[in-house]
Amino acid sequence: MKKVISLILLLAFANLLVQAQSDKSLPGKVSIYTTAMDTDLRLTPTGSSEFADFGQPLETQICVFVDPEKTFQTFLGIGGAITDASAETFYKLPESRQKEILSAYFSRDKGIGYSLIRTNIHSCDFSSYSYTYVKDNDKELNSFSIDHDKKYRIPMIKAAMQEAGGEVTFYASPWSPPAWMKDNNNMLRGGKLKKEFYQAWADYFVRFIKSYEQEGIPVWGVTIQNEPMATQKWESCIFTAEEERDFLKYNLGPTMHKAGLGDKKIVMWDHNRDLVYQRASTYFSDPDVDKYAWGIGFHWYEDWSGGVPVFENIRRVQEAFPDKHMLFTEGCAESFDANRYEAWVLGEEYGRSMIHDFNNGTVGWTDWNILLDETGGPNHVGNFCFAPVHAITGTGEVIYTNSYYYIGHFSKFIHPGARRIIASPSRSQLISTAFKNPDGSTVVVVMNETEKAADYYLWIDGKAAPLTSLPRSIMTLVF
């Protein structure tokens, strides 16, 4: 009898092993989407490939190794900023073009499925002029009103959210407190928030959040200050790490909790990758900050000094503070030139940054203006920049730069709630990142910045699918 029971158990165990092997089997087909220079391919379906047994690759066989069993950060989303400039440009267009742009950005089926929106708290450089929501010297904020935003910005934000089916993470950032709260009495050119107005400024955040939510726009969170170490010719304000920490610790954090907004996320830094570790270490060495800060926001402009992006600094913060989240909050190609709409490097900058930032632990990625006009504005201080989409407001023409398609290789296929998994190319001409979606699909993005095509294999657990990466291209693989 014991031998019979043992045999039954052995057969059951063998059956479990077979089932386990079956569970690890890969789907046979990989769907391919490609954007490539000197071709008509723009986020274009370009066929499929099949997995087959492969085993140990040779050193001469280029591979992108993917390991779905090793999971990392949870994906929040990808999107862009609806600024005054974007909204003003949007409403200069015919209604048919407005619908086209909303669909192109926020529809997952017809467009690239944006799921994040950032906006400015009162004016920034991408506004037609400087303004605030209160009258001068109104410390009690009795005059607070967002009527300015109701003309263009709020309607566009609501229309975008509707196009996305309501599944959008919305957050806001200030560029400067009102002039009368600052030591330079100017919203522009840096200056600092006076200590006597720390509490009034914290109350201002609360008023903003509640006012927008009364308009039917759920607010996920705020950043404390856009670029707090940059004295700009536009709206700007300087906070040292200690000053930002203390404003959060003693004013903004407690004020939001007291107002019933403790569930709103507060993002610190919101500036370049260069100083990010110093800022994070200063913030998070204080246990009181930990109660209020969700994580760190960052931009990509550290190459202003002539260097290259320091992507690895994001990993340093993640290694030191693994319970804090990293969010890319702004990036764009500066120095607008209408002769460069077709410049291929515009999109490549996005692809390169997104791959490295996600691989270094970033949970979400937010482009700057989603739409600008034919001047790279409007911008009230002449800081004209590129956007993925430009409108020629006189004719109603809409121009999609290749940045739009490069971003779409991520945002269209990686869904909120996805988990990053390992993607490891065997040759430097390819860079890659990968995610596993909540529905079980796997998304691998592969980018080739070289002038040569690269034949390679997508390799997973001893099986591989043959693929070709075209010169100066990006491709998304879905299976």
Side-chain angles (χ1 to χ4, degrees):
M1 186 64 178
K2 288 182 179 180
K3 287 183 179 180
V4 172
I5 294 173
S6 297
L7 182 59
I8 292 172
L9 290 173
L10 184 61
L11 289 171
F13 181 67
N15 187 51
L16 286 173
L17 285 176
V18 170
Q19 182 64 44
Q21 290 298 319
S22 175
D23 290 343
K24 291 176 70 176
S25 66
L26 294 168
K29 185 171 288 187
V30 180
S31 297
I32 306 167
Y33 302 84
T34 305
T35 295
M37 190 175 76
D38 297 331
T39 73
D40 294 329
L41 302 176
R42 298 293 183 271
L43 203 55
T44 305
T46 48
S48 62
S49 183
E50 300 278 342
F51 280 101
D53 290 333
F54 195 87
Q56 174 64 55
L58 303 174
E59 287 186 318
T60 54
Q61 293 172 314
I62 302 174
C63 293
V64 174
F65 301 111
V66 174
D67 186 351
E69 302 304 313
K70 303 295 187 296
T71 59
F72 302 92
Q73 77 269 23
T74 299
F75 180 74
L76 178 66
I78 292 170
I82 296 180
T83 57
D84 288 316
S86 294
E88 289 168 22
T89 300
F90 182 80
Y91 285 108
K92 291 177 183 176
L93 295 174
E95 187 175 340
S96 60
R97 288 297 198 185
Q98 295 174 14
K99 291 180 179 178
E100 173 192 327
I101 289 167
L102 291 176
S103 178
Y105 271 120
F106 293 97
S107 169
R108 189 171 298 281
D109 295 331
K110 300 177 182 178
I112 60 174
Y114 268 13
S115 54
L116 286 180
I117 298 175
R118 183 191 189 208
T119 202
N120 44 293
I121 295 177
H122 57 231
S123 67
C124 65
D125 53 328
F126 281 93
S127 301
S128 293
Y129 55 90
S130 292
Y131 66 91
T132 72
Y133 300 132
V134 295
K135 295 179 180 178
D136 286 352
N137 303 310
D138 179 10
K139 184 178 180 179
E140 302 302 322
L141 310 183
N142 293 321
S143 60
F144 190 96
S145 170
I146 59 168
D147 282 351
H148 171 280
D149 298 2
K150 293 179 182 179
K151 186 174 183 181
Y152 298 121
R153 193 145 46 106
I154 286 175
M156 185 179 180
I157 291 167
K158 293 175 74 172
M161 288 184 163
Q162 183 177 4
E163 183 68 30
E167 301 298 320
V168 175
T169 296
F170 173 80
Y171 69 102
S173 307
W175 268 242
S176 172
W180 52 270
M181 291 188 183
K182 297 172 64 182
D183 61 6
N184 67 344
N185 198 35
N186 192 344
M187 290 182 71
L188 317 184
R189 303 188 183 281
K192 290 194 173 190
L193 176 65
K194 293 180 180 180
K195 292 287 180 67
E196 65 194 91
F197 292 120
Y198 269 35
Q199 187 54 49
W201 187 226
D203 293 337
Y204 201 102
F205 279 82
V206 169
R207 291 291 188 96
F208 174 85
I209 293 170
K210 290 189 172 182
S211 295
Y212 260 64
E213 293 200 329
Q214 286 172 3
E215 293 299 314
I217 300 175
V219 178
W220 172 84
V222 294
T223 74
I224 294 177
Q225 169 64 45
N226 179 74
E227 298 187 349
M229 288 303 295
T231 298
Q232 305 283 20
K233 63 182 180 180
W234 53 84
E235 287 83 343
S236 46
C237 184
I238 304 301
F239 284 84
T240 66
E242 291 80 7
E243 288 166 341
E244 189 182 1
R245 175 198 67 195
D246 289 348
F247 175 65
L248 171 67
K249 177 178 173 180
Y250 297 116
N251 301 99
L252 184 60
T255 298
M256 287 178 61
H257 275 251
K258 186 177 179 181
L261 302 176
D263 61 327
K264 307 302 181 186
K265 307 300 187 290
I266 301 177
V267 181
M268 306 188 76
W269 185 222
D270 199 7
H271 203 165
N272 297 329
R273 302 183 190 98
D274 48 8
L275 302 184
V276 67
Y277 188 82
Q278 179 266 334
R279 300 292 289 213
S281 61
T282 303
Y283 304 146
F284 302 137
S285 63
D286 189 325
D288 287 332
V289 168
D290 189 60
K291 295 187 298 187
Y292 303 119
W294 174 83
I296 295 285
F298 65 96
H299 301 179
W300 73 13
Y301 308 111
E302 66 269 14
D303 59 359
W304 66 268
S305 62
V308 297
V310 284
F311 300 114
E312 67 279 4
N313 283 353
I314 303 308
R315 185 182 296 272
R316 298 290 87 79
V317 175
Q318 267 295 282
E319 290 170 339
F321 308 102
D323 60 326
K324 295 302 177 186
H325 305 86
M326 307 300 297
L327 175 64
F328 185 91
T329 48
E330 185 186 316
C332 74
E334 301 171 277
S335 303
F336 175 78
D337 179 353
N339 295 314
R340 297 185 66 240
Y341 282 133
E342 301 298 326
W344 203 252
V345 294
L346 296 177
E348 288 178 323
E349 185 173 18
Y350 281 86
R352 184 187 317 117
S353 178
M354 295 175 85
I355 287 171
H356 286 295
D357 289 337
F358 286 131
N359 286 344
N360 284 318
T362 300
V363 302
W365 212 94
T366 323
D367 184 33
W368 192 203
N369 303 277
I370 71 168
L371 176 68
L372 292 174
D373 67 15
E374 63 272 25
T375 71
N379 186 292
H380 73 93
V381 292
N383 182 35
F384 301 119
C385 298
F386 280 98
V389 179
H390 284 266
I392 312 301
T393 55
T395 65
E397 180 186 0
V398 175
I399 297 171
Y400 293 81
T401 74
N402 64 314
S403 301
Y404 168 84
Y405 300 102
Y406 267 74
I407 296 169
H409 274 273
F410 303 83
S411 60
K412 186 175 180 67
F413 304 101
I414 307 169
H415 303 166
R419 296 290 299 276
R420 183 173 66 84
I421 60 177
I422 290 289
S424 178
S426 67
R427 289 288 184 275
S428 60
Q429 61 260 51
L430 301 180
I431 58 175
S432 181
T433 192
F435 285 82
K436 190 166 187 177
N437 279 320
D439 65 3
S441 63
T442 298
V443 178
V444 183
V445 181
V446 179
M447 182 173 160
N448 179 358
E449 294 183 78
T450 75
E451 303 292 341
K452 294 182 179 180
D455 294 328
Y456 71 99
Y457 294 91
L458 179 65
W459 189 102
I460 303 179
D461 194 26
K463 299 177 186 291
L467 296 148
T468 297
S469 176
L470 297 176
R472 304 288 291 274
S473 73
I474 187 168
M475 57 197 305
T476 300
L477 314 172
V478 183
F479 54 93

